[in-house]
Amino acid sequence: MTETYIARSSDVASRMLGGEMIIMSAADSTLFTLNQQATAIWNAADGVTPLSEIVESKICGAFEVDPAVAYQDAEELVRDLAGHGILLVSERPAEGREVTS
Amino acid sequence: MSLITELDSRAGKLGVPLSAHLDVTYRCNERCVHCYLPHDDRGEMTTAEIVDLLDQLADAGVFFLTISGGEPFLRRDLFEILAHARARTFNIKLKTNAILIREGEAESLRRFNLDSIQISIYSHRPEVHDAITKVKGSLERSIAAIRFLKSRGFKVTIANVIMRYNRHDYPGVQALAAELGAIFTIDPTITPHIEGDRGILALNVSRADLEEIFHTESLVGNLEEFCAPPVAVDDDVLDSVSCSAGHTLAYISPYGDVFPCVQFPLPSGNVRKQKFLDIWRDSPQLREVRSIHARDLEGCSECGHVGSCTRCPGLAYREGNMRGPSMADCEKSFARTGIPSRNMLRKAAFSVPLVQIEEWRSTASGAGLAEDDFGGGKDRENVLSC
């Protein structure tokens, strides 16, 4: 199975508000709000942790959801955010990535 | 409700300052005739102080950060400040006159992923723009900067403050913005000087000009909607607050003073003496601002415009009462709808212009009154009339 690695784009503005993440793309000023599960994935998107591990450690344990369903939802979210350029997706871990919160 | 309005509402309920406006300097390389700021340096925050403040703002929940001045490019550490703001993932808007932005500066700004850059343009004619800024060649330099920025993909907004000197030039500025690919905004409000001088208010456009501006579809959008009669007043309206100042917005001066908004110079604390979040949560002044709802406004709460008025509490504060009306906004409501505000009617009732009436004798005879009924006399030819 090919692993997926995700990293937050450095082009976005982001802030937590009441447990949810607000993200605005600098490219087109599109504004997103992420729910708690999506926020957990966003926060863990360091470019070096596989998506499967993120889902297992940050979603399944914390939100008591079925792992297969959680992974499917996470893949859909990642595709959506990557489509807007606010999440970078790779099949390989990033090298020397600087992780910012 | 737009997503931003929804976020603002949620931030308000959570007590989070979603937006902050930070003036990094009051120094400026222009001397605009309508400017409300003093331009001498009275001890600006150092780079380290601003970096620490940005950390505090991020930790407090500030998302939308406006960096302005004065002219922010007069600070040699501006790029350092922007780099730190970028690292703390703010949505950054930069306000500048842009005359120090050349090709190199435009290129350097790219790494900060700014949301937008707002540049003041007063006229498309150099003789008008430069007369307002008092800097020869300033229009040419600002336009050149806009071209540099646009060629690098920046979102640029041209802000056109309208005053008596340039009141006929907004169509030219609007056309210039279109040619440059910039967003065009107008602001027909001149603000009193932050230190109290109200003399510059004489630069405000006339009531007729304001009416013309507010009835120009290319400026205000849907005319029917914009100029609609006031909405019905109900409890929701009376429970509402004027704006985000002090609720989800804070202003910080170059000296660390915290106000509810740049237009609302109510001293609420200083970040050199207290943590920003302590000021935000505990300042008695900010608490007082937050306690004011439409139903508490003297005069305004009984005014038909209360539900749709753009009343600025800062301007009201500068007129002497943050719970009172702002005449500039009464004028705007009137210009939009043709319906005078309660405050305007009250002022009219108390105004006593000199009016010449008919000679006493003829009036008296017509009314069947004897001269002596008024103590007699020709002195009554001119009287004060309400």
Side-chain angles (χ1 to χ4, degrees), chain A residues 9-34 100-101, chain B residues 3-4 7-8 10-11 14 16 18 57-59 61-64 86-92 113-115 155:
Chain A
S9 165
S10 60
D11 291 348
V12 302
S14 61
R15 192 70 73 229
M16 286 289 282
L17 178 65
E20 297 185 347
M21 185 64 72
I22 319 168
I23 300 172
M24 188 179 266
S25 158
D28 58 7
S29 295
T30 312
L31 188 63
F32 302 86
T33 56
L34 305 185
T100 55
S101 59
Chain B
L3 191 49
I4 288 185
L7 284 178
D8 199 58
R10 201 192 312 167
L14 292 166
V16 171
L18 193 62
L57 295 176
D59 293 344
V62 171
F63 180 56
F64 298 105
R86 175 66 270 168
R88 294 308 310 256
T89 67
F90 290 102
N91 175 275
I92 310 164
N113 291 313
L114 304 178
D115 176 77
K155 186 162 81 183

Side-chain angles (χ1 to χ4, degrees), chain B residues 59-302:
Chain B
D59 293 344
V62 171
F63 180 56
F64 298 105
L65 175 70
T66 298
I67 292 184
S68 182
E71 172 46 49
F73 275 86
L74 288 184
R75 278 198 72 126
R76 292 179 188 276
D77 58 357
L78 178 65
F79 286 176
E80 205 176 326
I81 291 167
L82 290 173
H84 195 72
R86 175 66 270 168
R88 294 308 310 256
T89 67
F90 290 102
N91 175 275
I92 310 164
K93 180 195 277 186
L94 183 64
K95 290 186 176 183
T96 169
N97 60 38
I99 63 177
L100 291 176
I101 299 179
R102 308 289 173 87
E103 208 149 8
E105 286 77 18
E107 184 61 31
S108 298
L109 283 170
R110 290 180 69 178
R111 67 179 188 271
F112 306 123
N113 291 313
L114 304 178
D115 176 77
S116 59
I117 301 177
Q118 181 176 307
I119 296 168
S120 300
I121 299 289
Y122 303 105
S123 171
H124 57 298
R125 297 183 291 155
E127 64 271 26
V128 177
H129 177 94
D130 294 359
I132 289 172
T133 64
K134 297 185 186 171
V135 175
K136 194 169 167 51
S138 56
L139 177 64
E140 190 183 344
R141 289 172 70 175
S142 292
I143 290 175
I146 293 171
R147 291 191 200 282
F148 291 140
L149 292 166
K150 286 303 298 180
S151 71
R152 283 159 179 81
F154 284 98
K155 186 162 81 183
V156 175
T157 297
I158 285 181
N160 184 199
V161 175
I162 301 177
M163 63 195 98
R164 285 186 187 276
Y165 297 143
N166 64 348
R167 66 187 186 276
H168 299 305
D169 286 8
Y170 61 83
V173 181
Q174 194 170 23
L176 176 66
E179 181 208 321
L180 294 168
I183 297 163
F184 173 74
T185 64
I186 55 159
D187 182 359
T189 309
I190 302 296
T191 306
H193 196 276
I194 201 164
E195 293 180 332
D197 180 11
R198 301 179 65 80
I200 53 175
L201 296 185
L203 297 172
N204 265 315
V205 294
S206 67
R207 187 176 282 177
D209 288 330
L210 195 59
E211 200 176 318
E212 181 194 311
I213 291 163
F214 282 175
H215 286 79
T216 302
E217 197 151 19
S218 64
L219 296 178
V220 301
N222 186 327
L223 267 186
E224 207 174 318
E225 199 176 292
F226 188 79
C227 299
V231 297
V233 179
D234 57 19
D235 278 345
D236 284 347
V237 166
L238 292 173
D239 287 336
S240 66
V241 296
S242 290
C243 65
S244 60
H247 293 267
T248 58
L249 165 70
Y251 167 78
I252 303 108
S253 82
Y255 315 120
D257 295 313
V258 178
F259 301 151
C261 168
V262 65
Q263 299 247 54
F264 195 165
L266 172 69
S268 304
N270 187 293
V271 294
R272 282 171 156 162
K273 295 175 185 160
Q274 277 177 282
K275 291 291 182 194
F276 171 78
L277 201 51
D278 291 338
I279 296 170
W280 180 256
R281 286 178 177 158
D282 302 328
S283 152
Q285 293 82 6
L286 292 179
R287 282 173 182 264
E288 186 183 0
V289 169
R290 288 175 200 139
S291 74
I292 303 171
H293 296 84
R295 68 172 71 250
D296 308 313
L297 301 175
E298 294 163 21
C300 301
S301 58
E302 294 99 39

